[in-house]
Amino acid sequence: MANLFLQFAKHKKPIKSVILDQNVVAGVGNIYADETLWRAKINPMQPACTLKRSEADALHDQIIAVLGESIKLGGTTVHTFVSADGRTGGFQDKLQVYGKQGTPCPRCGTEIVKTKVGQRGTHYCPQCQPLRKRVMH
Ligand SMILES: [Zn+2]
């Protein structure tokens, strides 16, 4: 993966839309985008260019971790995916925010909120992932 901090700096779009852009990060689907942003404590609507270097690094690490776990566990079964050997995937059991709107955040207990970012259903914790005001230059 190229230096994400430099990639993000080029985009004013919400960070979630940018990590879903296959030209920036290949392989991150909608479910994983929500999970990685929650783990990295970044608001999905945060303009990508306002991310701090430490946040970009945290997101980078979580993308690698989440994609790795998902492959190990056989993908998600949210869309009734069954692998060739008939086993259903296990990653859905590990989802912390995706599809969890109205239930307590596993980290802080605040209710998970569902919204839309770039037409995609988006789940996040308003307490752990506060939207930072844009720093004006
Ligand atoms: Zn939380």
Side-chain angles (χ1 to χ4, degrees), residues 33-49:
D34 285 1
E35 295 296 317
T36 52
L37 288 166
W38 179 81
R39 290 188 186 199
K41 301 184 183 176
I42 296 168
N43 188 284
M45 286 160 286
Q46 190 73 43
C49 58

Side-chain angles (χ1 to χ4, degrees), residues 38 97 104-112 124-129:
W38 179 81
V97 282
C105 167
R107 198 160 43 206
C108 74
T110 301
E111 253 185 38
I112 300 295
Y124 72 101
C125 170
Q127 177 69 30
C128 296
Q129 299 164 269

Side-chain angles (χ1 to χ4, degrees), residues 81-113:
F81 164 83
V82 181
S83 62
D85 61 4
R87 288 185 313 146
T88 52
F91 191 77
Q92 70 169 13
D93 300 331
K94 298 215 156 196
L95 298 179
Q96 312 279 358
V97 282
Y98 188 86
K100 306 283 188 189
Q101 61 274 20
T103 69
C105 167
R107 198 160 43 206
C108 74
T110 301
E111 253 185 38
I112 300 295
V113 169

Side-chain angles (χ1 to χ4, degrees), residues 12-25:
K12 288 180 183 154
K13 286 187 293 188
I15 183 60
K16 180 173 178 185
S17 301
V18 173
I19 60 171
L20 284 176
D21 180 345
Q22 298 297 310
N23 295 318
V24 180
V25 187

